Amino acid sequence: MSTIPVQSVTRALRYALPYKRLAALSLLLTGLSALISIALPWPLAIVIDNVIGDKPVEPWLAPLVGSLAHNPSGLIIFSVLAGLVLLLILDAVHVASNFVNIQIDQKITLDVRSELFLHSQKMSLAFHDRRRSGMLIYLINNQGDAPAGLVMTVPLLAEAALTLFGMFWVSSKLDPTLALVSLTVIPFLYWSVGYYATHIQERLTRVRALEGSSLSIIHEAFSMMRVIIAFGREKHEYSRFREQTALAVGERVKITVRQTLFSLVVNFITAIGSALVLGLGAHHVLEAKRAGYPPGSLSVGQLTVIIAYIAAVYKPLEQISFTIGSLQDKFVNLKAAFGLLDTPPDITDAPNATDIVRARGGVTFENVHFNYDGRAGTLKNISFEAKPGQVIGIVGPTGAGKSTLVSLIPRYYEPQLGQGRILIDGRDARGITLKSLRAQISVVLQEPLLFSGTIAENIQYGRLEATQEEIIAAAKAANAHDFIERLPLKYNTILGERGAQVSGGERQRISVARAFLKDAPILILDEPTSSVDSKTEAVILEALERLMVGRTTFMIAHRLSTLKHADQVLVINDGLLAEHGTQDELLAKGGLYKQLYDAQVAAIRQSKLATATAQQV
Ligand SMILES: Nc1ncnc2c1ncn2[C@@H]1O[C@H](COP(=O)(O)OP(=O)(O)O)[C@@H](O)[C@H]1O
Ligand SMILES: [Mg+2]
């Protein structure tokens, strides 16, 4: 069928390779199950033909029943026991194959989900800027099980095919015409499956996108809880969610109605098949009866066998067509999952990249240009050189490009080829492996992002193998130890998802402790104290000064007073390096830096004046 994406399917099947033994076992059980279901209707046929009727036992059956062949009560007991044993074995086989299949299914799902998770973490920040994380969650969780689902249709289809083939073979021995008649439905089934498959795929893709959007709303709402509460927008978010989800629900309902209608068509076709076989079969038996049952003619018991086969064969046929219908769903998911896996990470190691063991900390920008997707001139022609151990102050208006500039150093984003380069200790950063490059750099951001674990775990994140003593030493250096000791559970205090249990300044000190533990030669501080009060700022700054010792530090400063120790200052304005020099040089120059400086001095004087006036009153 043209709607089967062969490549994706073979790729999905390859996920079963690590579980070859389980898969072989599964197929073996499948074969067994097919074999038993072929034998299943025979005990009833024996009762009808050889016990109630007076037909002699068939030659192939004679060795099985032995001396019971001429003993009706014996034959009854034999048939009843045989039927019972067959059913019991069939059930046992089903239990065993469920056990095997669920393992294959879950293991493959785990493999695919982990691969998707790993891969999405390799994607650059630019990629994540473009994608809504709710969509990624949906993809990893709800679409990551598609390869396993596809693999699991193999035993299903194999069983159906085996049963079909086996039963057709037996039936054609009993009554070839009847066997052929039972096959007449197959072209109709094939046609209806094809029709369905081509008409459903587009709808399935659409419903997936709608369902993903709903999940995005939930994800965003939970990460924005504070804002939602502050603005009292719970109802608004609720309606947003409901409206979006209602769209998805509507589409789902439509699709399910179609799926059910499709099963109805399939059931109708098979019902016609059954009716044909029953009518024609009864006719054959009647003819045979009139002729006095010549050898090779169809008996009543054998007709029941064929009728039972028809029911048994059509069921898997219906199942195959349903499976093929639901396969479309899996194909859509496969495409999404493989689509993500095939999106190459845009920032990767160059083929000849090598590790850097421990950088001395020299950082050079050479004519660096950068712009975000769809924007122009975020950074234009930036050049400067930071010597190992220097402190580089970076100032400039909001949106000038300061954060962007420092995020190029660990290659969170990357200038396009030919748009300048960044050197670490004189080596092009592109020639250094990402992992070792990022190991050289500690980052403290304006908003301290902490995990929902304990304080100790959060600090330890800087170096996973750090001991308890080292964690405490780092906390002490970050001026965090004292406040942590005052908490009832101390280092074992569990932080809420967004670190809600401690104040902003305290969280920032935890993130400084984390940076201490990492002990990297290059330090990036992106307005680390801009969201705390000036008293807390002093405590954090003191810790940061300790942290800067012996490291090349890039300090984006919100208050110029925090740049006391800067060896050079970069003034960024509208993506350009507007001024560059020591603070004294820049003040003497009387340019943008001087303006910013004067404005801040005036502001401080004013607030001091205001405080003084307030105290006088
Ligand atoms: N992830 C992003 N995608 C697109 N544009 C961005 C992104 N981050 C920042 N920008 C834009 O780039 C410019 C520089 O931003 P940024 O470096 O954050 O400035 P600063 O840190 O100096 O305030 C701004 O115009 C900002 O809107
Ligand atoms: Mg910024």
Side-chain angles (χ1 to χ4, degrees):
M1 217 161 299
S2 61
T3 42
I4 296 180
V6 178
Q7 267 183 341
S8 300
V9 170
T10 45
R11 181 165 170 188
L13 293 181
R14 274 205 293 278
Y15 280 95
L17 284 182
Y19 311 109
K20 274 197 260 327
R21 289 160 130 225
L22 278 175
L25 190 57
S26 165
L27 288 179
L28 193 76
L29 291 168
T30 300
L32 204 57
S33 158
L35 219 61
I36 297 171
S37 35
I38 291 172
L40 214 52
W42 280 103
L44 178 63
I46 294 174
V47 170
I48 294 177
D49 282 350
N50 311 127
V51 178
I52 303 174
D54 38 18
K55 211 173 169 227
V57 170
E58 302 274 337
W60 63 267
L61 202 64
L64 266 179
V65 294
S67 59
L68 294 177
H70 307 290
N71 172 357
S73 331
L75 270 184
I76 293 180
I77 295 176
F78 172 81
S79 310
V80 169
L81 285 182
L84 191 66
V85 169
L86 284 177
L87 270 182
L88 284 179
I89 298 180
L90 189 63
D91 285 340
V93 168
H94 282 166
V95 170
S97 71
N98 273 344
F99 177 70
V100 172
N101 288 351
I102 192 75
Q103 287 193 59
I104 304 179
D105 183 23
Q106 292 299 308
K107 285 180 175 174
I108 294 180
T109 303
L110 174 63
D111 289 347
V112 177
R113 285 202 183 126
S114 333
E115 197 181 337
L116 285 168
F117 182 51
L118 183 69
H119 191 78
S120 43
Q121 290 193 84
K122 277 193 208 141
M123 301 309 285
S124 68
L125 286 179
F127 170 88
H128 287 283
D129 287 346
R130 286 192 301 266
R131 302 275 294 227
R132 291 164 77 187
S133 36
M135 286 297 206
L136 276 178
I137 295 174
Y138 184 78
L139 200 148
I140 293 172
N141 198 57
N142 298 31
Q143 304 190 288
D145 58 5
L150 201 94
V151 168
M152 294 333 288
T153 55
V154 172
L156 217 65
L157 293 179
E159 177 161 14
L162 277 178
T163 327
L164 185 71
F165 184 78
M167 291 185 176
F168 178 74
W169 185 73
V170 175
S171 306
S172 63
K173 293 269 167 213
L174 300 178
D175 187 332
T177 330
L178 216 50
L180 282 177
V181 166
S182 70
L183 291 185
T184 50
V185 299
I186 288 181
F188 294 100
L189 283 180
Y190 185 81
W191 174 78
S192 58
V193 169
Y195 180 84
Y196 173 79
T198 41
H199 285 77
I200 201 82
Q201 196 145 26
E202 195 187 320
R203 285 179 178 271
L204 282 170
T205 314
R206 200 159 55 229
V207 82
R208 290 284 158 190
L210 289 172
E211 286 171 354
S213 295
S214 296
L215 202 64
S216 288
I217 295 180
I218 300 183
H219 177 258
E220 195 169 272
F222 287 140
S223 46
M224 298 289 287
M225 214 55 216
R226 275 155 196 284
V227 181
I228 295 175
I229 292 173
F231 285 88
R233 289 286 185 259
E234 294 88 345
K235 257 307 226 317
H236 172 74
E237 291 299 322
Y238 167 81
S239 326
R240 218 155 71 87
F241 174 74
R242 260 207 87 103
E243 278 163 31
Q244 174 61 39
T245 313
L247 286 179
V249 167
E251 275 296 312
R252 254 293 161 214
V253 169
K254 280 190 211 154
I255 285 183
T256 310
V257 168
R258 278 182 166 71
Q259 277 169 343
T260 322
L261 278 178
F262 170 65
S263 328
L264 190 70
V265 170
V266 169
N267 290 351
F268 182 67
I269 295 175
T270 55
I272 290 183
S274 306
L276 276 179
V277 169
L278 179 62
L280 195 68
H283 188 68
H284 281 188
V285 174
L286 197 63
E287 271 177 357
K289 191 180 163 192
R290 286 192 185 128
Y293 293 117
S297 67
L298 193 64
S299 70
V300 183
Q302 288 168 346
L303 178 62
T304 63
V305 168
I306 295 186
I307 295 288
Y309 281 178
I310 292 287
V313 166
Y314 284 176
K315 214 171 77 213
L317 269 186
E318 283 166 18
Q319 200 173 24
I320 293 181
S321 41
F322 186 77
T323 308
I324 289 180
S326 69
L327 274 182
Q328 295 304 315
D329 207 15
K330 297 201 174 72
F331 292 156
V332 169
N333 289 345
L334 271 189
K335 220 164 112 186
F338 290 153
L340 175 61
L341 290 179
D342 291 341
T343 313
D346 33 7
I347 299 181
T348 49
D349 285 342
N352 53 355
T354 50
D355 280 348
I356 187 165
V357 181
R358 187 176 173 90
R360 277 172 289 119
V363 176
T364 311
F365 274 52
E366 279 183 9
N367 308 101
V368 171
H369 294 259
F370 176 79
N371 45 273
Y372 290 105
D373 273 355
R375 310 222 176 176
T378 308
L379 288 176
K380 288 164 279 195
N381 203 24
I382 308 281
S383 300
F384 65 87
E385 183 184 350
K387 298 224 159 60
Q390 279 195 331
V391 175
I392 318 294
I394 303 176
V395 300
T398 310
K402 307 180 294 294
S403 299
T404 307
L405 188 148
V406 293
S407 67
L408 297 182
I409 304 171
R411 293 176 66 197
Y412 294 160
Y413 297 92
E414 196 165 59
Q416 266 113 24
L417 269 175
Q419 305 246 298
R421 51 183 201 151
I422 296 165
L423 310 170
I424 307 291
D425 288 348
R427 283 177 60 184
D428 191 330
R430 288 180 213 262
I432 301 173
T433 57
L434 271 182
K435 192 169 174 359
S436 73
L437 172 69
R438 290 178 183 167
Q440 310 302 317
I441 302 165
S442 269
V443 183
V444 180
L445 298 172
Q446 180 174 353
E447 191 199 352
L449 297 174
L450 300 177
F451 286 97
S452 54
T454 64
I455 291 182
E457 285 163 355
N458 266 288
I459 298 176
Q460 197 173 27
Y461 207 76
R463 181 150 47 85
L464 295 179
E465 61 280 3
T467 62
Q468 192 65 23
E469 289 70 44
E470 289 172 315
I471 292 174
I472 293 174
K476 281 185 176 154
N479 286 340
H481 181 71
D482 290 344
F483 91 79
I484 295 172
E485 282 292 313
R486 279 197 298 274
L487 294 167
L489 290 177
K490 304 185 176 17
Y491 281 84
N492 293 325
T493 308
I494 293 185
L495 301 171
E497 262 214 331
R498 302 224 152 221
Q501 309 249 340
V502 290
S503 75
E506 289 166 343
R507 288 166 57 190
Q508 192 58 292
R509 280 180 271 165
I510 295 174
S511 79
V512 172
R514 181 171 66 188
F516 256 112
L517 210 52
K518 183 167 179 186
D519 188 28
I522 298 170
L523 184 61
I524 292 176
L525 308 172
D526 191 347
E527 308 196 33
T529 59
S530 66
S531 51
V532 297
D533 59 85
S534 49
K535 196 160 148 246
T536 315
E537 179 175 33
V539 180
I540 297 177
L541 278 179
E542 192 208 30
L544 286 175
E545 273 161 28
R546 219 174 283 143
L547 181 58
M548 290 180 203
V549 173
R551 303 175 212 272
T552 312
T553 305
F554 293 87
M555 170 103 170
I556 300 183
H558 164 74
R559 282 180 268 268
L560 302 186
S561 56
T562 56
L563 290 180
K564 288 195 292 270
H565 306 285
D567 298 296
Q568 3 172 351
V569 173
L570 311 176
V571 184
I572 308 290
N573 190 24
D574 196 17
L576 282 166
L577 180 54
E579 292 169 22
H580 180 194
T582 64
Q583 274 156 299
D584 293 339
E585 286 166 5
L586 294 178
L587 280 179
K589 193 174 164 201
L592 184 60
Y593 184 82
K594 176 86 163 76
Q595 281 171 29
L596 288 169
Y597 183 86
D598 288 344
Q600 288 200 354
V601 169
I604 292 166
R605 217 177 268 139
Q606 273 219 327
S607 76
K608 277 197 181 138
L609 208 64
T611 331
T613 326
Q615 276 164 356
Q616 275 172 7
V617 172

